[in-house]
Amino acid sequence: MPQHRTEKALPRLGMTRHLPEDRWARLAARISRIDTHAAGTVLSRRGERLEQSLLVLSGIVVRSIPRANGARSTVVALQVPGDFVDLHGFPLKRLDHDVVTLTETEMAVIAHADLAALVDADLPLARLLWSLTLIDASIHRHWAMRNSAMRALGRVANFFCEIDTRMNAVHRAMRNVHEIGLTQADIADACGLTTAHVNRVLRDLREDGSAAFQAGVLHVHDRPALHRLGAFNAGYLYLPEPGAPV
Amino acid sequence: MPQHRTEKALPRLGMTRHLPEDRWARLAARISRIDTHAAGTVLSRRGERLEQSLLVLSGIVVRSIPRANGARSTVVALQVPGDFVDLHGFPLKRLDHDVVTLTETEMAVIAHADLAALVDADLPLARLLWSLTLIDASIHRHWAMRNSAMRALGRVANFFCEIDTRMNAVHRAMRNVHEIGLTQADIADACGLTTAHVNRVLRDLREDGSAAFQAGVLHVHDRPALHRLGAFNAGYLYLPEPGAPV
DNA sequence: CGGAGCGTTGAGCAACGTCAAAAGACGTGG
DNA sequence: CCACGTCTTTTGACGTTGCTCAACGCTCCG
């Protein structure tokens, strides 16, 4: 059961900083309510008709594609505060994947009807929201590349680099510790590995001192080393301020 | 060197059938020219500023992410006739990947300025074009899933199912032979395998009679068997007519 | 106290990568 | 026309990554 909350001044977090102040205010005014969900809540299922979109205010959410016959589902995206989690559902109405919270999460809810009224009256805002969904697509491409062209150690290192970079962009602070609520099995589902092998990779990362992952918390100990292991380049994230996309 | 051509009545192919007749006419009227490119032409590179978008009229185009130090680049998308190949570049302006033709290709060119005028005056069309890019995103997610959660044989079988399904949707005909101009190395780059292993998988598919791939041509011999091997479900493609998305 | 979920580890093996060699297809220039 | 180079396909031998299966400890919670 979601718990409601009403708020006035919402700060622009992470990717919402792609929106100029005035447009963010206009969008925030359309938020119908703010829900709090427990960890592990299924927010929507594949194929369901969607009538609203959700903006993450705090917590972590994943999008995952269910697999046949009882196998674990594949994690295809991870959303951090400031991300729209299912804005794709606004034009498409039905999505190909499930949306699940990993941690306790606060979500701003905007009805599609309100969103439609908003963007039809504000063309630049429409273009900006379109861009946000295309940045998701860019990240999807990177995930496909990562899990196709990299080995286990590089995959996990690159994945951790992405999490570190995005989480630091959320609050514009350089932090080395991120509470993301993932289990080792979730990392396996996101990186296309088994839990047994993820466990071994995590031991290697811990022992060489670049990063440690314990109880859903990522500790970045040596960022340059981690970037080297993951061959990381943040261009594909189109971060709002550090400038130069790609 | 692209060769120009001017044409009046362009048929709606494949994914452009998501647009109603009248809107397609309006879009087609904005086509500034039609270029023909040879196989292997690089149409745009990662990070370049784009001022136009391209619609494939005939031929096959891939999007690929270059990898460091001389390694082969990773194929992250494949575009067939009726697909916009870089509509993502309209809102984003710069892309994270290269665009390369695989076969001789005819492309309709629409300047971003014309596209902007068009969608700003036609909100439903804007929503439809947005949808087209989100279908690309859905396909990206599927590629990430395929290369993360499936084994070599299933990956290639599923990839062939996608090609078969999309090519048949282009001309609304059930064909069993598709000229796609891929090499075995391209299949390897798309499926996250080595060329040696792709070759062995192709031999297996050929010997069990489900599909054959020779000289850039895919022959589908036993579609049900291929779908079984690839655990294929076309929902993620959001095909224009067969209805039921997801 | 018992169970469920998560993390950890090991032994054995299958799938896939690496490296190397060679043959066929094809166009090019002599 | 032939010789040549390049690209693609094919195949083999061999290595290794990462999966499978199994067991066990840990923590949390009912």
Side-chain angles (χ1 to χ4, degrees):
Chain A
M1 292 298 101
Q3 301 193 333
H4 297 196
R5 184 168 73 105
T6 322
E7 197 123 338
K8 304 115 252 270
L10 281 174
R12 282 183 306 164
L13 292 170
M15 296 306 269
T16 58
R17 280 201 291 275
H18 277 288
L19 310 180
E21 191 83 50
D22 53 335
R23 294 215 149 71
W24 165 245
R26 223 176 285 177
L27 181 69
R30 295 291 192 152
I31 292 172
S32 60
R33 64 177 196 277
I34 293 173
D35 292 346
T36 302
H37 297 278
T41 305
V42 177
L43 297 176
S44 65
R45 291 211 181 270
R46 158 162 76 177
E48 255 177 48
R49 184 168 179 85
L50 301 176
E51 304 292 355
Q52 58 188 29
S53 282
L54 305 174
L55 172 66
V56 182
L57 299 180
S58 70
I60 305 286
V61 179
V62 295
R63 309 202 245 161
S64 63
I65 297 181
R67 305 278 303 134
N69 54 40
R72 289 188 60 93
S73 51
T74 305
V75 173
V76 291
L78 182 139
Q79 312 295 159
V80 303
D83 291 354
F84 272 99
V85 69
D86 57 358
L87 191 52
H88 295 232
F90 171 50
L92 289 181
K93 292 306 169 202
R94 294 179 196 277
L95 294 182
D96 57 310
H97 56 267
D98 299 345
V99 176
V100 185
T101 62
L102 281 188
T103 64
E104 180 171 297
T105 306
E106 287 181 300
M107 317 277 302
V109 180
I110 308 185
H112 284 176
D114 291 336
L115 214 42
L118 193 61
V119 301
D120 286 352
D122 184 344
L123 300 175
L125 178 60
R127 204 72 54 84
L128 286 165
L129 293 183
W130 188 355
S131 293
L132 289 183
T133 62
L134 295 185
I135 293 170
D136 284 340
S138 174
I139 298 175
H140 291 330
R141 287 190 290 274
H142 183 84
W143 284 43
M145 185 281 286
R146 174 165 65 212
N147 291 359
S148 301
M150 303 182 77
R151 301 309 197 46
L153 185 70
R155 280 188 210 175
V156 176
N158 186 287
F159 182 53
F160 283 172
C161 288
E162 177 177 319
I163 290 171
D164 179 46
T165 304
R166 291 172 67 184
M167 290 300 284
N168 284 335
V170 168
H171 290 109
R172 305 166 112 160
M174 191 62 94
R175 297 179 185 176
N176 300 318
V177 180
H178 306 289
E179 300 188 17
I180 49 182
L182 292 168
T183 65
Q184 293 188 3
D186 293 323
I187 297 175
D189 293 340
C191 292
L193 301 167
T194 58
T195 64
H197 203 63
V198 164
N199 186 280
R200 289 185 261 262
V201 168
L202 292 180
R203 174 167 46 70
D204 293 345
L205 286 174
R206 191 185 329 122
E207 287 178 357
D208 93 354
S210 50
F213 181 87
Q214 303 155 20
V217 182
L218 170 64
H219 298 259
V220 177
H221 289 133
D222 184 345
R223 188 167 287 116
L226 196 61
H227 281 220
R228 224 175 305 118
L229 284 174
F232 186 70
N233 180 325
Y236 72 97
L237 292 174
Y238 293 84
L239 295 179
E241 44 247 356
V246 182
Chain B
M1 289 302 102
Q3 303 191 335
H4 297 196
R5 183 169 75 104
T6 321
E7 197 123 342
K8 305 115 252 267
L10 281 174
R12 281 184 305 164
L13 292 170
M15 296 306 269
T16 59
R17 279 201 290 275
H18 277 287
L19 310 179
E21 191 83 49
D22 53 335
R23 294 217 149 71
W24 165 246
R26 221 177 287 179
L27 180 69
R30 294 292 191 152
I31 291 171
S32 59
R33 65 177 196 277
I34 292 172
D35 292 345
T36 301
H37 296 278
T41 306
V42 177
L43 297 176
S44 66
R45 291 209 181 273
R46 159 162 77 176
E48 255 177 48
R49 186 169 177 87
L50 302 175
E51 303 292 355
Q52 58 188 29
S53 281
L54 305 174
L55 172 65
V56 183
L57 298 180
S58 70
I60 305 286
V61 179
V62 295
R63 309 202 245 161
S64 63
I65 297 181
R67 305 278 302 135
N69 54 39
R72 288 189 61 92
S73 51
T74 305
V75 173
V76 292
L78 182 139
Q79 312 295 160
V80 303
D83 290 354
F84 273 98
V85 69
D86 56 358
L87 190 52
H88 295 232
F90 171 50
L92 288 182
K93 293 307 170 200
R94 295 179 195 275
L95 295 181
D96 57 310
H97 56 268
D98 299 345
V99 175
V100 185
T101 63
L102 280 189
T103 65
E104 180 171 296
T105 307
E106 287 180 301
M107 317 276 303
V109 180
I110 307 185
H112 285 177
D114 290 337
L115 215 41
L118 194 61
V119 301
D120 285 353
D122 184 345
L123 300 175
L125 178 59
R127 205 71 56 84
L128 286 165
L129 293 183
W130 187 357
S131 293
L132 289 182
T133 62
L134 296 186
I135 294 170
D136 284 338
S138 173
I139 297 176
H140 291 330
R141 286 190 290 273
H142 183 83
W143 284 43
M145 185 281 287
R146 174 164 65 213
N147 290 359
S148 302
M150 303 181 77
R151 301 308 196 49
L153 185 71
R155 280 186 211 177
V156 176
N158 186 285
F159 183 52
F160 284 172
C161 289
E162 177 177 320
I163 290 171
D164 179 46
T165 305
R166 291 173 67 183
M167 291 300 285
N168 284 335
V170 168
H171 291 108
R172 304 166 113 159
M174 191 61 94
R175 298 180 184 176
N176 299 319
V177 179
H178 306 290
E179 299 188 17
I180 50 180
L182 291 167
T183 64
Q184 293 188 6
D186 293 324
I187 297 175
D189 293 341
C191 292
L193 301 167
T194 58
T195 64
H197 203 64
V198 165
N199 186 278
R200 290 185 261 261
V201 168
L202 292 180
R203 173 168 44 70
D204 293 346
L205 287 175
R206 191 184 331 123
E207 287 178 356
D208 93 354
S210 50
F213 182 87
Q214 303 154 21
V217 182
L218 171 65
H219 299 258
V220 177
H221 290 133
D222 183 345
R223 187 167 287 114
L226 196 60
H227 281 220
R228 224 176 306 118
L229 284 174
F232 186 70
N233 180 324
Y236 72 97
L237 293 174
Y238 293 84
L239 295 179
E241 45 248 355
V246 184

